[in-house]
């Protein structure tokens, strides 16, 4: 026990240091420009006018260390006083234009995110230990700690790791309440649900997910199924009310304490002006004007904003094309290319192995009964599968395709399901030789997985596996937060300094400030109108967007960077910024 405990601590400490040291040269990424200043405004002003599209808890967590830095708050700037959710403008003003130290802000805001990532990895081990024992629980822990995607987003002030934690956290305590519906467990389940719903609005999917597993658990009862179903529905409603009344309402009430009610109403009207559901829009506006209900109105506003964005889509580069909406194959292909190949092969081998051993035991006559028995005996695994299925269906059917991070909440459930399969394979191996072969395969694949992660250090955000030709070639498939989120501007700054470049044209995609980093060396230009001569640096997202072919009626300018296909980059800042020297027109 001491050995395993020490090993777990070492692995978690390693997770912290991998995230911490790989974040040292990362510039301010796109969403951090909104999240960090918004969180600071919540704690400093008790005013929630910025970034209502995301719940507050993660932004609060990131902003807490900033409260001790004596930062200047631009409260007289128009982005704060008269603007309507001018989060990007205000963010740039707060971080780069108000006399604050941007790098100090980024450093301290990211520390709580890294600690949250470590907590998330520990919780995976905690649940796995209860399911599989302490030794096998190391497997999903290793998958999580060395996941390039978890490491990439676990060091940034964004909501994706928090969402991943929230799904596990709420589901664990919900299952505990289902198995033992005491008052204490119902209360804890409600609190866990409320906290999770304040991490990211995608966690609203917990409502159907927990609904499905609640109904399934009630129907597994041998007697009085309808009676048990009614009981569980009532208890679930009570838990939901606890989450709303004791968590969501007071948290939002605190955050809008100094947000003038007239401002909240007018902002809500302005933000929802284009929303398609007039009924929900009117309810939200009416609630915003009610002193008692306005905290819930602001939560509802954020939820409506988030769901509308998912339904509306975005500009996306995918496999050489540019479109304005979702593509059904986007997430499967991105998942295939962004997760280490060793993991995919291990999952495939383990799944085929267990299917061969299991399917022979099933016959058409006993299939339904055996399935019911399996769900009853492995209810936690069934619940994790429900999370995976519901989340994947929702993601594929949506129109928002901006990164593998949007399916990150399914990673931990997949790790736990794979560990379950591995355990079953080991249990059903008939001979020591067979078990030794499988353990050897397992060891090779995990070693490959860990090695792929360590080799990607510190460029985790742009990680792609061997199927994509490695990280250097990932931009050919997809960009945005899969590859280029603005993380390499400080590396471009270093390149400019080392090469004594006096003028450089920059087309930057991200949350950092080019003028702050490059000063007088920065040369503005419009890529749709001119072909610059001399030094040129372009973010991969903009480069591919200007090269890709338009599809699905995409009516925005495209093709304006195709002339660069005749040139080869002379260098890169990190992986995501391409540097050219154009010596002729």
């Amino acid at each position: 026990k001491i050995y395993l405990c020490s090993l777990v601590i070492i692995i978690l400490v390693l997770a912290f240091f991998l995230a911490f040291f790989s974040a040292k040269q990362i510039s301010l990424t796109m969403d951090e420009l909104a999240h960090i200043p918004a969180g600071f405004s919540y704690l400093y002003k008790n005013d929630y006018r910025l970034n209502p599209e995301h719940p507050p808890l993660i932004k609060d967590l990131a902003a807490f260390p900033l409260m001790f830095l004596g930062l200047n708050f631009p409260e007289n700037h128009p982005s704060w006083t008269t603007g309507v959710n001018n989060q990007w403008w205000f963010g740039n003003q707060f971080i780069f234009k108000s006399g604050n130290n941007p790098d100090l802000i980024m450093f301290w805001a990211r520390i709580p995110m890294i600690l949250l990532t470590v907590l998330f990895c520990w919780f995976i081990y905690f649940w796995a230990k209860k399911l599989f024992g302490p030794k096998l629980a190391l497997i999903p822990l290793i998958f999580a700690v060395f996941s390039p995607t978890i490491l990439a987003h676990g060091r940034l002030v964004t909501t994706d790791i928090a969402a991943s934690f929230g799904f596990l956290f709420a589901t664990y305590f919900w299952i505990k309440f289902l198995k033992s519906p005491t008052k204490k467990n119902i209360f804890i389940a409600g609190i866990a649900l409320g906290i999770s719903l304040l991490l990211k609005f995608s966690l609203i999917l917990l409502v159907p997910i927990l609904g499905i597993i609640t109904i399934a658990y009630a129907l597994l009862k041998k007697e009085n199924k309808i009676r048990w179903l009614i009981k569980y529905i009532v208890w679930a409603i009570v838990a939901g009310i606890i989450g709303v009344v004791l968590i969501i309402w007071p948290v939002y009430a605190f955050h809008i304490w100094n947000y003038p009610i007239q401002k909240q109403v007018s902002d809500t009207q302005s933000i929802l002006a284009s929303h398609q559901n007039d009924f929900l829009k009117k309810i939200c506006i009416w609630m915003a004007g009610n002193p008692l209900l306005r905290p819930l109105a602001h939560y509802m506003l954020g939820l409506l904003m988030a769901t509308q964005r998912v339904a509306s889509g975005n500009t996306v580069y995918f496999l050489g094309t540019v479109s304005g909406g979702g593509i059904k194959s986007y997430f499967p292909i991105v998942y295939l290319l962004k997760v280490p190949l060793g993991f995919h092969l291990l999952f495939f081998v383990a799944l085929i192995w267990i299917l061969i051993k299991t399917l022979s035991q099933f016959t058409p006559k006993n299939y339904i009964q055996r399935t019911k028995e399996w769900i009853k005996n492995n209810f936690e695994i069934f619940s994790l599968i429900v999370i995976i299925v519901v989340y994947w269906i929702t993601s594929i059917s949506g129109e928002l395709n901006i990164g593998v991070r949007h399916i990150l909440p399914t990673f931990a459930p997949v790790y736990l399901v794979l560990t379950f399969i591995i355990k079953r394979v080991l249990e059903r191996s008939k001979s020591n030789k067979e078990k030794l072969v499988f353990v050897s395969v397992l060891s090779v694949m995990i070693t490959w997985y860990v090695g792929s992660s360590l080799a990607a250090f510190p460029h985790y955000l742009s990680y792609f596996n061997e199927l994509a030709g490695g990280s250097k070639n990932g931009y050919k498939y997809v960009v945005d937060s899969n590859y280029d989120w603005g993380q390499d501007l400080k590396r471009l700054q270093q390149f400019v300094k080392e090469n004594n470049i006096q003028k450089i044209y920059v087309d930057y995609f991200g949350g950092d400030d080019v003028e702050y980093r490059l000063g007088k060396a920065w040369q503005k230009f419009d890529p749709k109108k001119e072909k610059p001569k001399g030094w040129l640096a372009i973010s991969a997202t903009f480069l591919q967007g200007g090269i890709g072919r338009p599809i699905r009626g995409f009516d925005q300018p495209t093709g304006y960077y195709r002339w660069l296909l005749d040139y080869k980059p002379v260098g890169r800042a990190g992986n995501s910024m391409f540097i050219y020297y154009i010596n002729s027109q």
Side-chain angles (χ1 to χ4, degrees):
K1 289 183 178 180
I2 295 176
Y3 169 76
L4 284 173
C5 182
S6 300
L7 185 58
V8 169
I9 292 173
I10 291 172
I11 293 173
L12 292 174
V13 170
L14 183 59
F16 177 87
F17 283 116
L18 285 173
F20 178 82
F21 285 109
S22 65
K24 290 187 68 176
Q25 289 300 314
I26 292 179
S27 307
L28 193 72
T29 57
M30 182 61 77
D31 283 14
E32 289 182 300
L33 179 61
H35 290 326
I36 294 174
F40 186 80
S41 72
Y42 303 160
L43 300 184
Y44 185 74
K45 301 287 287 186
N46 291 112
D47 192 316
Y48 203 162
R49 68 184 66 188
L50 296 176
N51 196 236
E53 187 180 349
H54 296 277
L57 285 192
I58 291 307
K59 292 173 283 185
D60 291 344
L61 187 63
F64 180 74
L66 307 184
M67 299 297 292
F68 305 97
L69 300 182
L71 300 176
N72 299 318
F73 188 86
E75 57 186 332
N76 295 320
H77 192 265
S79 59
W80 176 261
T81 55
T82 58
V84 178
N85 192 28
N86 289 148
Q87 52 188 342
W88 310 106
W89 188 15
F90 179 85
N92 183 267
Q93 188 69 28
F94 171 71
I95 296 177
F96 297 101
K97 303 291 195 309
S98 298
N100 297 318
N101 184 330
D103 293 322
L104 190 65
I105 290 174
M106 284 187 283
F107 175 85
W108 284 110
R110 287 169 175 169
I111 292 296
M113 301 298 99
I114 296 174
L115 293 175
L116 176 64
T117 300
V118 173
L119 175 64
F120 171 52
C121 294
W122 171 83
F123 195 81
I124 293 173
Y125 175 80
F126 168 77
W127 197 353
K129 182 179 177 182
K130 291 181 176 295
L131 293 174
F132 317 119
K135 293 182 179 179
L136 283 178
L138 292 173
I139 295 175
L141 174 63
I142 291 172
F143 288 148
V145 165
F146 292 98
S147 165
T149 300
I150 290 177
L151 286 170
H153 296 281
R155 58 203 175 157
L156 303 177
V157 184
T158 58
T159 55
D160 302 295
I161 291 295
S164 304
F165 173 74
F167 274 99
L168 279 194
F169 182 68
T171 303
Y172 173 83
F173 286 103
W174 196 266
I175 293 173
K176 193 172 182 180
F177 130 64
L178 292 178
K179 291 186 172 183
S180 179
T182 63
K183 293 179 180 179
K184 176 183 176 181
N185 286 341
I186 294 171
F187 179 80
I188 294 175
I191 296 297
L193 177 61
I195 292 173
S196 298
L197 291 175
L198 288 175
L199 297 175
K200 189 169 185 174
F201 282 118
S202 62
L203 280 119
I204 198 67
L205 288 175
L206 280 170
V207 175
I209 288 170
L210 298 182
I212 291 171
I213 67 175
T214 299
I215 293 171
Y217 193 83
L219 295 180
L220 288 174
K221 296 288 184 179
K222 293 183 178 180
E223 299 178 357
N224 299 319
K225 290 182 173 57
I226 301 302
R227 181 181 176 185
W228 277 108
L229 179 60
I230 294 173
K231 283 185 176 181
Y232 276 115
I233 290 175
V234 172
W235 291 330
I237 292 173
V238 171
I241 292 174
I242 289 171
V244 171
V245 174
L246 297 185
I247 301 296
I248 295 177
W249 189 94
V251 168
Y252 265 78
F254 168 82
H255 284 78
I256 64 169
W257 191 263
N258 291 324
Y259 187 18
I261 190 169
Q262 298 85 357
K263 175 71 173 168
Q264 182 182 348
V265 172
S266 63
D267 285 354
T268 302
Q269 291 172 332
S270 178
I271 292 171
L272 295 181
S274 61
H275 200 278
Q276 297 178 349
N277 193 313
D278 289 334
F279 176 71
L280 293 178
K281 178 166 57 176
K282 290 178 180 178
I283 290 178
C284 189
I285 294 171
W286 171 78
M287 290 173 60
N290 185 295
L292 182 63
L293 298 178
R294 60 189 292 246
L296 298 181
H298 215 51
Y299 183 87
M300 182 179 180
L301 170 64
L303 186 58
L304 292 176
M305 292 174 69
T307 53
Q308 184 179 31
R309 189 175 182 222
V310 171
S312 300
N314 61 288
T315 299
V316 56
Y317 170 84
F318 181 61
L319 301 180
T321 64
V322 183
S323 66
I327 302 169
K328 302 304 179 187
S329 60
Y330 179 88
F331 283 113
I333 290 178
V334 170
Y335 180 77
L336 180 65
L337 299 179
K338 288 285 289 179
V339 172
L341 187 55
F343 181 86
H344 291 317
L345 293 177
L346 176 58
F347 197 101
F348 177 77
V349 169
L351 185 61
I352 295 299
W353 204 310
I354 197 64
L355 286 176
I356 291 174
K357 290 183 173 294
T358 303
L359 291 180
S360 60
Q361 302 176 11
F362 282 80
T363 64
K365 293 183 179 180
N366 69 0
Y367 181 77
I368 295 178
Q369 183 59 35
R370 291 291 295 271
T371 300
K372 289 181 178 178
E373 289 297 322
W374 184 90
I375 294 175
K376 186 175 181 179
N377 296 331
N378 305 281
F379 191 74
E380 290 88 348
I381 303 302
F382 167 76
S383 301
L384 294 168
I385 292 173
V386 171
I387 293 176
I388 297 168
V389 171
V390 171
Y391 207 95
W392 266 92
I393 291 175
T394 304
S395 299
I396 291 175
S397 60
E399 296 291 323
L400 191 62
N401 291 167
I402 57 176
V404 71
R405 64 190 179 90
H406 279 190
I407 54 171
L408 189 55
T410 66
F411 278 39
V414 169
Y415 298 157
L416 292 169
V417 170
L418 176 54
T419 307
F420 170 79
I421 296 173
I422 290 171
K423 182 181 180 182
R424 286 292 184 266
V425 170
L426 293 173
E427 289 174 345
R428 298 187 182 189
S429 295
K430 296 181 179 179
S431 65
N432 290 332
K433 182 179 179 180
E434 184 180 0
K435 185 178 292 187
L436 179 62
V437 170
F438 183 76
V439 170
S440 298
V441 172
L442 176 64
S443 301
V444 169
M445 295 305 172
I446 291 179
T447 301
W448 184 4
Y449 181 93
V450 173
S452 297
S453 176
L454 294 176
F457 180 92
H459 304 290
Y460 289 117
L461 193 64
S462 56
Y463 172 83
F464 274 76
N465 66 29
E466 293 84 350
L467 293 176
S471 299
K472 289 293 183 181
N473 295 299
Y475 72 97
K476 298 176 182 178
Y477 300 88
V478 286
V479 282
D480 208 297
S481 61
N482 293 303
Y483 197 85
D484 165 36
W485 223 12
Q487 72 270 20
D488 288 322
L489 185 60
K490 290 168 71 174
R491 293 186 173 101
L492 177 64
Q493 179 187 24
Q494 186 66 24
F495 181 91
V496 169
K497 181 180 179 181
E498 290 175 353
N499 290 274
N500 194 29
I501 297 174
Q502 301 302 309
K503 293 290 182 181
I504 183 168
Y505 294 90
V506 180
D507 194 7
Y508 171 67
F509 175 79
D512 216 299
D513 189 278
V514 181
E515 184 177 18
Y516 180 85
R517 298 298 178 190
L518 301 183
K520 294 180 180 180
W522 174 41
Q523 192 76 17
K524 297 181 182 180
F525 80 107
D526 185 345
K528 301 178 182 65
K529 296 181 180 179
E530 58 182 310
K531 297 179 181 179
K533 185 178 180 180
W535 289 100
L536 170 64
I538 310 172
S539 291
T541 299
F542 285 151
L543 178 65
Q544 297 302 83
I547 292 176
R549 305 182 310 275
I551 61 172
R552 296 188 61 182
F554 189 73
D555 57 0
Q556 298 179 30
T558 58
Y560 47 86
Y561 272 138
R562 288 178 193 158
W563 63 274
L564 272 174
L565 295 175
D566 295 329
Y567 296 86
K568 290 185 177 180
V570 298
R572 286 199 203 181
N575 286 329
S576 71
M577 294 201 74
F578 291 76
I579 303 169
Y580 298 84
Y581 187 79
I582 312 300
N583 54 18
S584 66
Q585 293 289 348

